[in-house]
């Protein structure tokens, strides 16, 4: 998508601090971290949000979570981390390209705001 911020990051048109990349997903540190470790995992395919996950693309979600389990180990998060996806403006989604926030490195309260 031409006007999508995260598609531009995947394409390298906007710089980012890469954490991981393969043929299906890209992971990079959030520009406004909410925890000592805060990175985003995004599919390379432009999917606007979690509400657009279906039988044709749902395998990407399982792959993203496998990647998250691997990256968090490599970054020393142990087994303590949170994965969040905000869907829709009322839930806090500000970029309309599916992304999983991964937060770690501090106590994480519940419920979220
Ligand atoms: P959302 O608000 O949609 O759940 O999450 C979008 C996230 O993208 C936010 O945490 C925000 O800080 C991050 N973000 C927005 N623009 C950029 C950018 O240009 N680079 C990086 N690395 N993160 C960004
Ligand atoms: Zn996109």
């Amino acid at each position: 998508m031409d006007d999508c911020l995260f598609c531009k990051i995947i394409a390298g048109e906007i710089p980012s601090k890469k954490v991981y990349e393969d043929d299906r997903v890209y992971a990079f540190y959030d520009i406004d971290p909410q925890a000592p470790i805060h990175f985003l995992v995004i599919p390379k395919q432009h999917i606007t949000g979690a509400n657009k996950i279906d039988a044709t693309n749902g395998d990407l979600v399982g792959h993203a979570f496998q990647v998250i389990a691997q990256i968090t180990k490599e970054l020393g998060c142990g087994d303590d981390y949170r994965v969040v996806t905000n869907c829709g403006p009322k839930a806090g989604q500000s970029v309309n390209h599916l992304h999983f926030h991964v937060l770690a490195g501090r106590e994480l309260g519940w419920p979220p705001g």
Side-chain angles (χ1 to χ4, degrees):
M1 296 289 283
D2 291 346
D3 59 349
C4 172
L5 173 67
F6 286 176
C7 282
K8 287 180 180 166
I9 284 178
I10 292 164
E13 294 166 15
I14 292 173
S16 64
K17 197 173 167 195
K18 180 163 86 171
V19 180
Y20 174 88
E21 180 174 17
D22 65 25
D23 57 327
R24 285 179 282 174
V25 298
Y26 184 73
F28 58 106
Y29 286 104
D30 197 292
I31 203 167
D32 181 22
Q34 301 302 310
I37 295 173
H38 182 180
F39 62 89
L40 304 171
V41 180
I42 64 178
K44 289 191 170 177
Q45 179 184 344
H46 180 84
I47 299 167
T48 54
N51 59 329
K52 294 295 194 299
I53 296 167
D54 60 24
T56 70
N57 58 28
D59 58 325
L60 278 169
V61 178
H63 179 64
F65 272 72
Q66 287 178 43
V67 164
I68 289 166
Q70 177 187 322
I71 296 171
T72 50
K73 278 188 188 68
E74 288 171 4
L75 294 179
C77 305
D79 295 320
D80 298 296
Y81 59 90
R82 180 173 294 167
V83 183
V84 176
T85 187
N86 298 321
C87 184
K90 286 184 187 169
Q93 184 176 7
S94 62
V95 179
N96 291 326
H97 182 127
L98 177 64
H99 50 283
F100 298 105
H101 295 259
V102 182
L103 301 136
R106 66 166 170 84
E107 292 280 330
L108 296 163
W110 192 264

